[in-house]
Structure formats: C-alpha cells, structure tokens
Amino acid sequence: MEEDIIVGLEIGTSKIAAIAGRKTDCGKIHILGMVKTVSDRLGMGCMEETESTVETILHVINRLEEETSIKISSVNVGVSGQYLHGTQHTASILRDNPHEIISEYDVKHLWDEMYKTKIPIESKIIHIMPQEYFVDFQGGMKNPIGRMGYRLEADFNVLTVNTKALQALENCVLKTNLQINELVFAPVATSFAVLEEEKKETGVVLVDIGGAKTDITVFFEGSIQHHTIIPIGGDSVTSDIAKCFSVMPQQAEKLKTKFGYALSSYASHQNVISIPDFGNMPPKEISSKNLAIVIEARMEEIVEMVDAEISQSGIKECLQNGIVLTGGGSQLQNVRELFEKITNMKTKIGYPNKKIENSKAEGVENP
C-alpha cells in the first residue's frame, strides 16, 4: 500500500465502516472511497460472535479495495464504546540543566512518564491529552517549549480501555490479515473531520448519536476536557416505534429515517403513513403526529442526558461554539432544534470541514 494512503476502520455498535484517503501536499486528505455496512452489534460494546465481525470487516475492506483499486494491507482503527474510561492524572520530570530551554525531547520525556502511570491491570492507556503545563510550578501553559526551568509538569486527561475488549477488537482485525498501524480515539478522529481548531480552543461539544450509544466529548482550550458515553442511541428510538405500533424492526427503522421528527410540533395528524404487510404483520396506517410523539419522548431523554453530562463538565458557560452533532441520529429531522430547546445552546450538524477535500465517494459528506 502506498505510503501516502491512509485507511481508517471503525467497528461500531450499529455499523462497520472503512474509508481510504490520500494525503495532499497542502495537508488535506483527499477521500478516495468509503464503504459501510450494518454490523451485528459486534463492536467495542459486544465481544460475542467475533467470526461474524471478521467476515463483515473482510467484506467492507474487499468492497473498499474494489472501489479504490488499492490493495489494503494496514489500517488505523477507531476505538470507542462503553469500555473506554477517562481519568485525570499528573506527571512530572526533573531536568538536568534548568538554564537550557525546554525542547520537544523534554515534552516527549514527560509524555513517556505519563504512559508509565499505574492504572488498573485490566486497562490499557490508548490516548493522553495534556490539559495544562507547569514549569517550576508556574502554570497556565499550553506549550512549554522555549521556556527554562528545572521541573516540568502537566495535568493530563488519560483515556484507558478495557484490555479484554481491546484484545477482542484487535483479534478481529488481525484475523483478516490486516496490520494495525494505530489505535485512534474515535472522537478525536471525528473532531479532525468536523471541527475547526479554533472551535476546540474556544469551546465546543461534539455529540455523536450512534445506534446503541451516544458519545459526548467536550473540547476547551484546544483539548478534551470531558468525555463520556451514554448507553442509548438511535436503536432505542427504533425499538420504541416497533413496540408502540407493532411493526417489525426493519419497518420501524424506515419509519424513523423517512418520516420521523424529533419534535412532534412539526408533524401533523392529517399526514397518514401507510405501512404495507410484512411477514405475518397486516398492513396498517399511523399518523405522522403519533410517530413523532414516540420519537420525541425518547429523543428528549437522550438530549436531557447529554445536557446533564455537559453540565457535569463544569464549563458549560464557557463553550462559545455550542454543540456539533454527528452520527446517524443527527440526521433525524428537527434534532438540532430539539437540542437547542433543551440545552439552551446553539447547535449545528457537523459536516466534513476544509481538512477533507471534496470527493465523489458516497456518504462522505454525511454527518
């Protein structure tokens, strides 16, 4: 595989996706192709039936190879899910000569010390994010390079993952004869695509509404200040529709994506949706209004939980850029308005920014 080609693979709770891009001379990524397929909930949240996951990964990679005419030998794997955990830690080093300026070597040495931090035996550090640097106990620094001092210290946000879940994920990829270049914290990868650095600096919340879960990541002063996962997503909405209207899950998903509203005030009782017979289920009709009422009830719960987590970060009032929504759940009609109504924060749908070059690959421009 060519050195300038980057391939990303994400094994989620509702889909497995792979994307290939080429690094350009101006620092952008030109997307060559993207393939995704519904998984059997075999991502980081589920470790059973790994052979099914392996088969799905192979299917996605083979389709991507056909679409791009690239032989894929290695991938960068996005890590997310309920087995991720974030904690705050502090690391420090003492320098031999306090009169020499602090260099990249010193910062790397400090990071290495952070990776040596004792964590639970069942966990592994996958990502560390410096929050603030201190030189001889003077803080408020985002970059200590060029300063002078004896003691270099930093507060870090440390992300760990359950080693059993991580091993299951790695095994699934390695069984396909693919090499893993790097494990990437999924919200960091998503933020690269949909957030400008200025927004991370002045404060923004990235909310990824997936199938079985919703990821919430708070950025401020250029780094992650808070991250959590709530175990509810778009699948819960689909399940509610299926139960309330006695339809099959496939029908419920179609009703949600094609006719659903996150705010029932936008729907009408006069608009009637006809549902054809499916299997043993007879045909029926439901109103758009009743469908929206069911959807809104569950979406309100999700948004209220997101709002509580944003408040838990302690910096809600500092987040000048509000909320950016991504994931399949962000494509539900009026979901932006629902978030603004409940959180009282300006909200927008996240689309690939200027770091991603225009591409004809299907689905790339979706949230």
Side-chain angles (χ1 to χ4, degrees), residues 101-115:
I101 64 171
I102 294 171
S103 65
E104 290 185 6
Y105 172 83
D106 296 307
V107 174
K108 182 179 182 303
H109 184 191
L110 179 64
W111 281 48
D112 289 342
E113 287 300 310
M114 186 68 258
Y115 274 106

Side-chain angles (χ1 to χ4, degrees), residues 29-44:
I29 302 292
H30 176 71
I31 304 301
L32 302 173
M34 185 180 79
V35 174
K36 61 181 178 180
T37 186
V38 175
S39 74
D40 295 321
R41 313 200 189 290
L42 300 172
M44 290 296 291

Side-chain angles (χ1 to χ4, degrees), residues 142-158:
K142 287 299 174 183
N143 184 0
I145 293 176
R147 304 281 185 128
M148 290 190 294
Y150 179 60
R151 179 187 176 92
L152 177 61
E153 183 179 356
D155 292 333
F156 289 89
N157 189 345
V158 179

Side-chain angles (χ1 to χ4, degrees), residues 241-275:
I241 295 170
K243 291 175 181 176
C244 289
F245 300 109
S246 299
V247 296
M248 299 294 288
Q250 300 95 315
Q251 293 174 309
E253 181 67 20
K254 187 174 181 180
L255 286 169
K256 179 184 73 175
T257 57
K258 191 173 182 180
F259 303 104
Y261 290 89
L263 281 169
S264 59
S265 58
Y266 284 83
S268 170
H269 279 298
Q270 307 303 317
N271 185 12
V272 176
I273 305 165
S274 297
I275 305 173

Side-chain angles (χ1 to χ4, degrees), residues 92-97 106 109-110 136-137 149-152:
S92 63
I93 60 170
L94 299 179
R95 305 176 65 238
D96 293 333
N97 188 347
D106 296 307
H109 184 191
L110 179 64
D136 291 342
F137 303 102
Y150 179 60
R151 179 187 176 92
L152 177 61

Side-chain angles (χ1 to χ4, degrees), residues 136-296:
D136 291 342
F137 303 102
Q138 293 185 2
M141 302 177 197
K142 287 299 174 183
N143 184 0
I145 293 176
R147 304 281 185 128
M148 290 190 294
Y150 179 60
R151 179 187 176 92
L152 177 61
E153 183 179 356
D155 292 333
F156 289 89
N157 189 345
V158 179
L159 287 167
T160 61
V161 64
N162 178 277
T163 50
K164 289 184 179 179
L166 182 61
Q167 190 64 58
L169 177 66
E170 291 178 333
N171 287 343
C172 288
V173 177
L174 295 175
K175 283 182 180 179
T176 66
N177 293 320
L178 291 169
Q179 296 299 312
I180 298 176
N181 290 330
E182 188 177 358
L183 295 170
V184 182
F185 181 43
V188 171
T190 302
S191 72
F192 175 84
V194 303
L195 297 179
E196 294 82 7
E197 294 302 320
E198 294 82 2
K199 289 186 176 180
K200 296 183 201 177
E201 188 67 35
T202 54
V204 66
V205 185
L206 182 64
V207 179
D208 186 345
I209 309 172
K213 61 181 178 63
T214 299
D215 280 80
I216 304 146
T217 311
V218 179
F219 292 87
F220 185 60
E221 295 183 340
S223 61
I224 293 176
Q225 302 294 329
H226 182 73
H227 172 261
T228 192
I229 294 170
I230 57 176
I232 304 178
D235 288 353
S236 297
V237 178
T238 302
S239 178
D240 290 346
I241 295 170
K243 291 175 181 176
C244 289
F245 300 109
S246 299
V247 296
M248 299 294 288
Q250 300 95 315
Q251 293 174 309
E253 181 67 20
K254 187 174 181 180
L255 286 169
K256 179 184 73 175
T257 57
K258 191 173 182 180
F259 303 104
Y261 290 89
L263 281 169
S264 59
S265 58
Y266 284 83
S268 170
H269 279 298
Q270 307 303 317
N271 185 12
V272 176
I273 305 165
S274 297
I275 305 173
D277 62 301
F278 189 91
N280 296 324
M281 298 288 190
K284 62 179 65 181
E285 292 183 340
I286 63 172
S287 76
S288 173
K289 187 75 168 183
N290 288 339
L291 175 63
I293 289 171
V294 172
I295 293 173
E296 182 177 10

